[in-house]
Structures are given as C-alpha cells and as structure tokens.
Amino acid sequence: MNFDPFLVKPNSSIKLKHYDPRFISGLETQDLHLSKDELKARSDELLLQGVKRLGELQDKLYAQNTYALLCIFQAMDAAGKDGTIKHVMSGINPQGCQVFSFKQPSAEDLDHDYLWRYARNMPERGRIGIFNRSYYEESLVVRVHPELLDRQQLPDRLRHSKNIWQQRFEEINNFEKYLTNNGVVILKFFLNVSKEEQKKRFLKRLDEPEKNWKFSANDVRERQYWDDYMNAFEDVFNHTSTEHAPWYIVPADRKWYARLVVAAVIQQTMEQLNLAYPEITQAQRQALVQARQMLEAEH
Ligand code: ATP
Ligand code: MG
C-alpha cells in the first residue's frame, strides 16, 4: 500500500478539504471492480493477515526490549477510534499493549504542566502504547474552547500570549524529538470522518438500543464547532508532522478502510525497525545445556 496520499510532509500547509474521507486506494486494482461486499471481504482478509503479522512483530519488540511504539489517535467523535484500536490490536498479546484514553483533565492534572499526564503514561520499552486522544487535545479542544485554557491556571503572561499555540507546537515537537531519541517510535493517526457520516453514526446511536450508551448529547454540541475543529486540526498537522513523528490523515468514512490503513502503517513501521530476538551468549547456551541435564536427571 502506498501511504503517500495520507502522510503529511513536514512543514506542509495542507487543507483538510483536499482529503476525501471516502477515498479508497492501495488495494489491488482489480479489487476496485469488486462489489461492495466483496471488497469488504477482501479487506477483512487483508486486515487479518496484517493483524497476525503485527502479533509476530510485537513479540520481537517485547523480546528485544529496546523500542517502544506510541500510536496516537485523534479524531472527531464517532470517527471510529475505539473500533480501530480494537481491531488493529486484536492479534497482540495483551501484555505487550498499553492503552490510555485521555478525557477531561482532573484537578491533579491541572496542577501540573500540560504534558505531565501524558508523560506519565508513556509505553515501556518493548510495548505498544495506544493514546486514545493525547496531548494534541491541548491544541485542539483547548483552542476551540478558550475557557479550558483559563482552567489551566497559567501565569497571565502566558495565557494571554498570542503565540501560545505556536509555542505549544514547538514544545510538542521537542517533546516528541526527546522521546524518539529515547527509543520511542511515534505514529500519529487522524481518523478523517466527514460531517455527514458523523451525523449518520450519531443517528444510528439513537436508533439502535444497543448503541444508545455510546450517544452523548455533548457530542452533538461539539459538532456545532466543526469548522473551528477543522482549522485547529489543520494547524496541528502543518506544525507537528515531522520526520520522526509523522501524521497520517486516514480516510474514515468507511471503517474497514481506516482499519486497513492504520494496520498497514504500523506494520510497515515495525518492519523497518529490523526487530530480532536477542542472541544468547555462549555462557547462556551452556546454562541451557546444564538446565536440560538437571531436568533429565530428575526421577
Ligand atoms: P468515546 O466517546 O468513544 O467513549 P471519547 O474519547 O470521546 O471516547 P469522552 O469521554 O466522550 O471520550 O470524551 C472525552 C472528552 O475529553 C472529549 O470531549 C475531549 O475533547 C476531552 N478532553 C480530552 N483531553 C482534554 C484536555 N486536555 N482538555 C480538555 N478536554 C479534554
Ligand atoms: Mg465521546
């Protein structure tokens, strides 16, 4: 699969309106002549293969204990973050995976610098960490709703600074550089759902009793700020997509396609790490021989 259409190049000035949430490409061209059901079946099959391979790669990541992989998911409500995380990680040993969902900050969080709660939850070496929302909310929801910035108890000089967002982008870039230099490999996914598709999914949550619990009136209120969010997202992508921590804008109106793209990006990134099981030393090999002798000597 070619990820170029989704990857935001460093120092870009992309516009989200140029990214089609219904875009499909990267499947074998003959597949594009398949019916909707056939296409979905084919993609399910590909996803299954990808998920299986991710499981193998994760096993080596864990054994090698050098790198951590941090996958960040940002999106508007109902874009499919939860489902994507569930499906893409389904082949992974639960011990090798750490998922953190960031909601509104607590009083304790607000008593610290804004990166504090995220830094505390970084994946350990050998693990895949999933951030379901992340420090990017600090330049998204906090930017769209200035009263949230007021709650952060910053010194006035900083709170009223015109450069505050630019400054946060720089701080986040530096933070990610620091993490990268410490073996944390960072991937950032924006699940790009259209406003129309979001409405359909909200209505479905209202219509289907088993989906009612997912519905939140607040999500409908946030929808009123759609354009503000899109502007904030564009600014985030244009300032924080870097060589070491790239953003991918994933078409998300078709859930199966979004899952496929995310799995493929993670797989490709992990393949490039050349992960391998640790070699054992001569002394360790001898210890294994001794252990076998001891076991065999038992009656
Ligand atoms: P789901 O709805 O699928 O359970 P979710 O991520 O939308 O998942 P919610 O509990 O509905 O979870 O919403 C979390 C809310 O917390 C979002 O509205 C988000 O904008 C908000 N939030 C996250 N981080 C911050 C932050 N740093 N400051 C203020 N609000 C935040
Ligand atoms: Mg929500």
Side-chain angles (χ1 to χ4, degrees), residues 51 80-92 130 259:
V51 161
K81 283 185 282 116
D82 292 0
T84 303
I85 293 166
K86 178 167 128 185
H87 282 83
V88 173
M89 295 297 143
S90 58
I92 287 180
I130 305 282
R259 290 167 191 170

Side-chain angles (χ1 to χ4, degrees), residues 10-123:
N11 305 313
S12 293
S13 45
I14 64 107
K15 288 274 172 211
L16 273 172
K17 64 173 188 238
H18 297 142
Y19 288 78
D20 178 7
R22 298 187 64 77
F23 181 86
I24 302 182
S25 125
L27 301 171
E28 302 296 323
T29 43
Q30 70 267 21
D31 290 342
L32 295 174
H33 300 296
L34 300 175
S35 72
K36 203 176 145 199
D37 284 349
E38 287 168 330
L39 195 58
K40 189 169 174 310
R42 173 81 183 114
S43 89
D44 285 352
E45 194 186 306
L46 285 173
L47 183 61
L48 216 63
Q49 285 169 15
V51 161
K52 185 161 171 278
R53 180 68 187 138
L54 277 183
E56 293 164 5
L57 289 163
Q58 201 284 323
D59 206 49
K60 286 188 186 164
L61 185 84
Y62 190 83
Q64 187 173 307
N65 204 31
T66 301
Y67 293 108
L69 181 67
L70 174 65
C71 300
I72 289 180
F73 289 88
Q74 287 289 159
M76 296 299 282
D77 287 300
K81 283 185 282 116
D82 292 0
T84 303
I85 293 166
K86 178 167 128 185
H87 282 83
V88 173
M89 295 297 143
S90 58
I92 287 180
N93 177 351
Q95 293 203 73
C97 192
Q98 299 167 317
V99 184
F100 300 99
S101 297
F102 294 99
K103 316 269 177 189
Q104 276 143 19
S106 67
E108 189 189 17
D109 295 331
L110 290 171
D111 269 341
H112 293 85
D113 60 280
Y114 73 92
L115 287 175
W116 180 75
R117 66 170 174 159
Y118 310 98
R120 294 174 85 207
N121 288 303
M122 281 298 151

Side-chain angles (χ1 to χ4, degrees), residues 51-272:
V51 161
K52 185 161 171 278
R53 180 68 187 138
L54 277 183
E56 293 164 5
L57 289 163
Q58 201 284 323
D59 206 49
K60 286 188 186 164
L61 185 84
Y62 190 83
Q64 187 173 307
N65 204 31
T66 301
Y67 293 108
L69 181 67
L70 174 65
C71 300
I72 289 180
F73 289 88
Q74 287 289 159
M76 296 299 282
D77 287 300
K81 283 185 282 116
D82 292 0
T84 303
I85 293 166
K86 178 167 128 185
H87 282 83
V88 173
M89 295 297 143
S90 58
I92 287 180
N93 177 351
Q95 293 203 73
C97 192
Q98 299 167 317
V99 184
F100 300 99
S101 297
F102 294 99
K103 316 269 177 189
Q104 276 143 19
S106 67
E108 189 189 17
D109 295 331
L110 290 171
D111 269 341
H112 293 85
D113 60 280
Y114 73 92
L115 287 175
W116 180 75
R117 66 170 174 159
Y118 310 98
R120 294 174 85 207
N121 288 303
M122 281 298 151
E124 295 159 43
R125 283 182 215 288
R127 315 290 170 109
I128 298 180
I130 305 282
F131 277 11
N132 182 349
R133 302 186 187 269
S134 66
Y135 42 84
Y136 282 100
E137 291 291 337
E138 304 293 339
S139 339
L140 292 165
V141 69
V142 178
R143 188 170 186 181
V144 171
H145 297 288
E147 64 277 15
L148 294 178
L149 186 64
D150 291 341
R151 286 179 53 203
Q152 296 196 345
Q153 290 159 213
L154 296 169
D156 280 351
R157 175 177 60 81
L158 297 171
R159 182 153 40 117
H160 300 303
S161 159
K162 273 206 199 85
N163 297 330
I164 185 158
W165 309 116
Q166 183 61 41
Q167 196 175 305
R168 285 194 169 188
F169 295 147
E170 276 170 33
E171 286 154 359
I172 286 173
N173 286 339
N174 290 339
F175 179 57
E176 289 182 341
K177 184 82 195 157
Y178 164 80
L179 293 171
T180 307
N181 288 343
N182 279 276
V184 182
V185 177
I186 306 173
L187 291 173
K188 304 181 293 204
F189 299 101
F190 172 62
L191 302 188
N192 187 24
V193 76
S194 66
K195 200 174 176 191
E196 304 77 68
E197 179 65 22
Q198 189 197 52
K199 184 173 173 179
K200 267 194 219 158
R201 292 184 189 176
F202 282 166
L203 288 172
K204 219 166 170 188
R205 289 179 181 183
L206 291 171
D207 289 342
E208 297 177 20
E210 67 278 18
K211 290 209 163 138
N212 283 172
W213 67 274
K214 273 204 150 207
F215 182 80
S216 141
N218 191 48
D219 292 353
V220 176
R221 277 193 292 276
E222 277 317 279
R223 192 177 150 77
Q224 318 284 317
Y225 297 93
W226 187 275
D227 292 344
D228 294 341
Y229 272 108
M230 292 305 114
N231 289 335
F233 270 118
E234 277 173 1
D235 222 24
V236 161
F237 302 146
N238 289 329
H239 287 94
T240 64
S241 199
T242 54
E243 214 66 65
H244 54 276
W247 271 109
Y248 291 87
I249 300 179
V250 181
D253 273 13
R254 293 179 173 94
K255 289 179 181 171
W256 58 265
Y257 189 67
R259 290 167 191 170
L260 203 57
V261 172
V262 169
V265 171
I266 298 176
Q267 183 186 333
Q268 195 201 53
T269 304
M270 290 182 81
E271 302 278 8
Q272 286 167 349

